[in-house]
Structure formats: C-alpha cells, structure tokens
Amino acid sequence: METKYILDENDLPRQWYNIQADLPVPPLSPSYNPQTKTPIGPADLAPPIFAKELIRQEVSTKRYIDIPPLKCGTSSLSGDHLPPSTVPGGWRNS
Amino acid sequence: MLGGADCVASPSSETNAGRAMLGLDPETSGSLGGMAISEAVEDAASHANTNYTLGSVLNHVCLHQSVIGLETLEQLKMAGEETADVVVGCAGGGSNFAGLAFPFMRERLAGRMPDCQFIATEPSACPTLTKGLYAYDFGDVSGYTPIMQMYTLGHGFVPPSIHAGGLRYHGMAPLVSLLHHEGLVDSVSCHQNEVFAAAVAFCRSEGIIVAPESAHAIKTVMDVASECTRTGEAKTIVFNCSGHGNFDLSSYEAYFAGALPDYEYPAELIAASLKDLPAIH
C-alpha cells in the first residue's frame, strides 16, 4: 500500500525557523577572524565575500525570518535538498 | 554549465589555493571543505563582481533549510501523528540534517516532543561527529574562512579516494555541533558497503535511487526499525531523503563490482590533522 502526504503550495512556509532564538545554554560561540583571531563581526563578513542580507541572517537571533517572495522558478534542476539554500543564497547575491 | 555557468573542478590551477594544493600533491583527489571552499572564497575576494555562497555549515544555510522540517511537521499532522520519536538525517556539513531536525528540536525544547531522539549519520571514512574534536577550526584548508567552534577532523583532512559515499567535509555546522555537544543530537557512523546495501534495499522496496549520502540515513532508519521489531516497541521514525542517486551510478557500479573497500579513518591521522588547529583563547 502506498501512502503519500503531499502539501498544497498554499502550505509552503512563509518564514524560516531560526533555532538560534531557542538554543539551550550556552549560546552559540562567536566565530573568529582568520587573520586577527579576534571575534568576528558582521563587517568581517561583508561583501565581497557575503551578501549583506545573508550576513544579517547569519547573526540573527530572531525566531522567524520572512522568506522573500521569489519571482524566479524554484523547481529543482538537481533533484536534491540544495535548492532551499542555493536559491535564496543565489538570489541575495544577484 | 547546463544553465550557462562555468564550472571549474577543484583543485584547479586558477587560484593560489588550488596551485598550492596541486604543488603539494598533484594527484590529490581534492576536498570539498578544504580545497574547493578555499578556491571559491579566494575567487570571490579577488573579483569585485563576485560574492560567495556556501552550500552548508553556516547558520543562514541551516536557516534556509528549515523549510524541510517545517513542511515535515505538517505532513506528520496529515498522517495523524502528533509527535516523532526519532528524527534521522545524514550529516556532512550539517545543513540538510539541520533543515529537517531543527523545527523538531524546537518542539523538543518547548516540551511538545520531549522524548524525540535525533540521530546524525556519517561515514566511518569521514567521522566528524563520532571521532572529531569539538574545537575552533578554519572552515577551509587555506585558512581564508572564519574560525568556528565545531566538531572537526582538522582543516587539512582529505577523505580517502576510495570513499564513494559523500559527506566528506572536515567540519560540521556549528549549530549541529553545539546540539551534539550538549547531548541533544546523537551520532552514528556507517561503513560504505552497508550504506550502499541499504540504498539498494530501499530502491527495490520504494523504487527510488537515492544519493549515497542519503543512504546513510536510510541505513540508520533500518537499524532503528529493526530494533523496534526486536523489542516490539512502535516508533514514528522520520528521515530526510535528501537527494537522488542518478548522478552517482558509477558509485553504485563500483559497489556491485565489490570495488568499494570499507574504511575507518585512522585515529592517528585524525590526531595528526588536529595538531594544526588555530589557537583561540
């Protein structure tokens, strides 16, 4: 017997869930600048490496972050789990 | 390439990082986290019109992947299930595991699924969670990327060339690492032959050719289910079938030919690689 549970497109999440808002003690440790070995801030990640919004998301402790409405198609060319991150990441970098 | 982009195999001769790696070992098979990331970051930093996007590990990637777990929670409701007992995912950099697991972890931390168990599965050839050290380490071999506190095999780790199962990164997402360190996420490792055997069984049962990476999760699911059969305990097991194996048929071919030796990454090599960890005080 085959059983499938297919969500309607109206059930697509409108917000990402950020576990940084709910981490148990201790909180996530800061990352460090590879050259200075000092705690990293958003400026250390700034373009030309990462897009600004991705930096904001990287350090955010908001529990839910709105998923931007995308105008491009989101069908998977690769057939794996990567489109949920490559599409918004690529869109933010465009 | 199909979409019009250029694709360069790493290590390449197009970056300082790539040339350095090839200079050390012209025959190297490369590494995702070590060499490919170093080359991509160098390329982004040296071109004004280029930014860098990482496919796993980082917090924002785990964030984006959370749609997996959020949708799975809705699917469970459709199936009439209020809770999951076990959540299983394969773990290389950690993002697909995080994507499925973190919304369920939200439920556990809020007390709505207090007994939910989380299992991250990895290769015995690349045992980041099961044999790595929870320490500060670079995200890449050349030291271009931020130093993160995570489970690591050492940024110089290169997976053995005979390993065909993927999940080859030396580190693990800091968020997944923290939860494992706090005892909220368990980890198991599998040898590649038992992983491919699980993939074949899944294909013959479900008609889906899975990626070797995803097959690590399937192997663990089968083990959990077998234990349930033995004990008579009913459990709701959720796992992420994270990718198809249509591009991995050469690996399946090698498996059927008996050409995939099982390999457990030696403790002495891990210890040697961990000697180069950056000093963070």
Side-chain angles (χ1 to χ4, degrees):
Chain A
M1 182 185 73
E2 188 176 275
T3 305
K4 290 183 180 177
Y5 300 101
I6 309 295
L7 293 175
D8 186 84
E9 287 190 3
N10 292 323
D11 296 321
L12 288 172
R14 297 286 188 265
Q15 293 179 309
W16 291 305
Y17 168 64
N18 183 9
I19 199 170
Q20 292 199 75
D22 294 321
L23 286 176
V25 176
L28 194 64
S29 298
S31 297
Y32 285 76
N33 185 299
Q35 280 81 46
T36 64
K37 306 294 195 298
T38 55
I40 216 164
D44 296 286
L45 303 171
I49 304 297
F50 290 103
K52 288 179 184 175
E53 181 59 26
L54 295 183
I55 297 170
R56 275 193 282 268
Q57 292 170 6
E58 182 69 16
V59 300
S60 173
T61 55
K62 284 179 59 178
R63 182 169 289 107
Y64 296 103
I65 295 174
D66 290 341
I67 300 174
L70 296 177
K71 297 293 190 291
C72 57
T74 56
S75 62
S76 171
L77 292 175
S78 62
D80 66 8
H81 75 287
L82 290 175
S85 59
T86 57
V87 173
W91 183 70
R92 287 298 181 190
N93 278 306
S94 66
Chain B
M1 288 154 62
L2 278 172
D6 294 328
C7 185
V8 178
S10 178
S12 77
S13 58
E14 298 191 15
T15 65
N16 292 326
R19 287 187 288 271
M21 288 299 110
L22 289 171
L24 285 173
D25 180 4
E27 302 303 316
T28 179
S29 56
S31 65
L32 166 64
M35 301 177 197
I37 290 177
S38 295
E39 291 203 82
V41 169
E42 180 183 329
D43 190 77
S46 54
H47 293 88
N49 66 345
T50 305
N51 278 356
Y52 171 68
T53 296
L54 183 59
S56 190
V57 182
L58 297 178
N59 301 338
H60 69 268
V61 184
C62 296
L63 175 79
H64 298 163
Q65 295 286 344
S66 67
V67 293
I68 302 173
L70 290 170
E71 293 187 18
T72 306
L73 285 168
E74 295 303 311
Q75 288 174 295
L76 274 181
K77 289 177 189 174
M78 294 171 72
E81 297 289 342
E82 292 294 325
T83 61
D85 297 298
V86 189
V87 174
V88 181
C90 62
S95 70
N96 107 80
F97 175 82
L100 174 69
F102 285 2
F104 285 86
M105 186 64 73
R106 176 193 68 188
E107 299 302 292
R108 172 167 168 173
L109 295 173
R112 291 185 288 268
M113 290 188 190
D115 301 318
C116 187
Q117 181 189 10
F118 298 83
I119 306 176
T121 310
E122 62 184 12
S124 298
C126 310
T128 310
L129 286 173
T130 52
K131 292 191 176 178
L133 187 66
Y134 188 51
Y136 284 96
D137 199 1
F138 296 103
D140 70 308
V141 68
S142 300
Y144 294 160
T145 55
I147 300 167
M148 300 173 287
Q149 189 175 32
M150 59 182 180
Y151 278 90
T152 179
L153 294 170
H155 57 273
F157 168 79
V158 177
S161 58
I162 48 89
H163 174 63
L167 307 174
R168 302 154 63 92
Y169 186 57
H170 71 272
M172 184 60 62
L175 285 169
V176 175
S177 294
L178 173 64
L179 292 171
H180 179 58
H181 190 252
E182 293 298 306
L184 290 166
V185 170
D186 298 324
S187 63
V188 297
S189 65
C190 302
H191 287 292
Q192 59 181 349
N193 279 287
E194 59 185 349
V195 164
F196 276 89
V200 171
F202 189 78
C203 180
R204 293 175 180 173
S205 169
E206 305 299 323
I208 300 171
I209 303 173
V210 299
E213 291 87 344
S214 311
H216 288 76
I218 291 172
K219 170 66 173 86
T220 297
V221 167
M222 288 179 174
D223 289 344
V224 174
S226 294
E227 182 63 12
C228 288
T229 300
R230 188 186 70 79
T231 62
E233 182 181 8
K235 287 188 177 180
T236 299
I237 308 168
V238 173
F239 82 99
N240 192 15
C241 190
S242 53
H244 67 69
N246 295 352
F247 302 151
D248 297 285
L249 295 182
S250 60
S251 296
Y252 277 97
E253 188 176 16
Y255 165 71
F256 283 117
L260 293 182
D262 285 330
Y263 182 85
E264 190 139 353
Y265 202 71
E268 58 269 24
L269 290 183
I270 297 175
S273 187
L274 290 175
K275 286 180 182 174
D276 296 326
L277 295 178
I280 297 294
H281 305 287

